[in-house]
Amino acid sequence: SAVISQKPSRDICQRGTSLTIQCQVDSQVTMMFWYRQQPGQSLTLIATANQGSEATYESGFVIDKFPISRPNLTFSTLTVSNMSPEDSSIYLCSVDLDRGDEKLFFGSGTQLSVL
Amino acid sequence: GESVGLHLPTLSVQEGDNSIINCAYSNSASDYFIWYKQESGKGPQFIIDIRSNMDKRQGQRVTVLLNKTVKHLSLQIAATQPGDSAVYFCAENIGYGQNFVFGPGTRLSVLP
């Protein structure tokens, strides 16, 4: 597998503010993904982030709310903008290790609480 | 036994018994499946995968069974241990690029 580090691991934020979550991988990967896991629920894909191109967002998620950067093959950020309590979730970074096997590996997640 | 909790179905098993966690997937065209284990405060951890050209795959203490006729996936854990307590998710790759759809999850509780 790979070491996938996310920062911060948790945060408590005020509504109306923004939080940027960082994801660092210990190897170069083409495809990185951001997922949301609402309390007690399953994982939902927010967007796919490939280096050198705009992120591709899933239905229900927009760039203005969840801007993503992918400056190189080992790093990505997800910003949760203008937060409301409904944004309280775990945000997870995941990667495909470019081995051709489609396996998806996850970071430890960022637990976000919005007051 | 199995019960539906507030958000997640829960399976309670005695330590040492075998566990069977079930998952109904949505798309008959899905060709790749993964089981993940998620412990509290952690990200999902890869357990085992299977492709649609197989109906069974075994790992260490785990077996995944795939029944494409009824779109059903199961994870069997042999000799369940306290460390197996977690939420288990199935994920299906619905076939175009990397696009996994995750099941609702099952909480496994191992009783001493």
Side-chain angles (χ1 to χ4, degrees):
Chain A
S1 60
V3 177
I4 306 167
S5 304
Q6 271 187 248
K7 289 195 295 187
S9 58
R10 59 177 62 239
D11 207 341
I12 301 172
C13 300
Q14 297 295 322
R15 68 174 67 209
T17 63
S18 298
L19 176 72
T20 296
I21 302 167
Q22 299 179 4
C23 180
Q24 179 78 52
V25 190
D26 68 347
S27 59
Q28 294 185 337
V29 296
T30 303
M31 302 180 78
M32 296 179 77
F33 308 87
W34 288 98
Y35 282 82
R36 182 176 74 182
Q37 186 176 23
Q38 294 177 299
Q41 297 193 29
S42 189
L43 285 75
T44 302
L45 181 64
I46 298 171
T48 301
N50 292 340
Q51 196 264 338
S53 62
E54 292 272 331
T56 303
Y57 289 82
E58 298 299 306
S59 176
F61 298 97
V62 295
I63 188 171
D64 289 347
K65 176 67 176 177
F66 297 102
I68 287 170
S69 78
R70 183 78 202 273
N72 58 52
L73 290 173
T74 64
F75 188 78
S76 179
T77 67
L78 169 76
T79 299
V80 186
S81 303
N82 188 25
M83 288 183 284
S84 66
E86 292 70 36
D87 294 319
S88 298
S89 292
I90 299 172
Y91 292 87
L92 292 152
C93 168
S94 69
V95 304
D96 176 332
L97 295 180
D98 289 347
R99 297 184 307 205
D101 59 10
E102 301 174 71
K103 289 179 181 173
L104 200 60
F105 295 94
F106 284 86
S108 54
T110 297
Q111 173 82 61
L112 172 61
S113 298
V114 184
L115 305 179
Chain B
E2 217 173 296
S3 63
V4 177
L6 185 60
H7 292 293
L8 291 172
T10 300
L11 176 65
S12 298
V13 298
Q14 211 70 39
E15 182 178 353
D17 287 352
N18 297 334
S19 303
I20 300 175
I21 300 170
N22 296 305
C23 176
Y25 63 91
S26 60
N27 192 324
S28 57
S30 294
D31 60 359
Y32 179 57
F33 306 85
I34 301 177
W35 277 101
Y36 288 93
K37 172 186 180 184
Q38 187 176 28
E39 296 173 280
S40 181
K42 298 184 179 180
Q45 174 189 354
F46 177 98
I47 301 174
I48 191 168
D49 60 350
I50 189 168
R51 296 205 171 271
S52 60
N53 60 353
M54 304 173 70
D55 53 21
K56 180 179 180 178
R57 189 154 190 240
Q58 287 185 288
Q60 186 176 16
R61 272 201 316 119
V62 295
T63 301
V64 55
L65 299 177
L66 175 62
N67 185 331
K68 295 181 287 294
T69 303
V70 295
K71 293 190 290 185
H72 184 267
L73 198 63
S74 68
L75 177 71
Q76 300 178 1
I77 304 174
T80 311
Q81 302 169 358
D84 295 325
S85 293
V87 177
Y88 290 81
F89 293 98
C90 65
E92 60 180 303
N93 190 335
I94 60 175
Y96 45 94
Q98 265 277 12
N99 194 346
F100 281 91
V101 173
F102 283 76
T106 297
R107 183 179 304 280
L108 176 65
S109 178
V110 181
L111 307 173

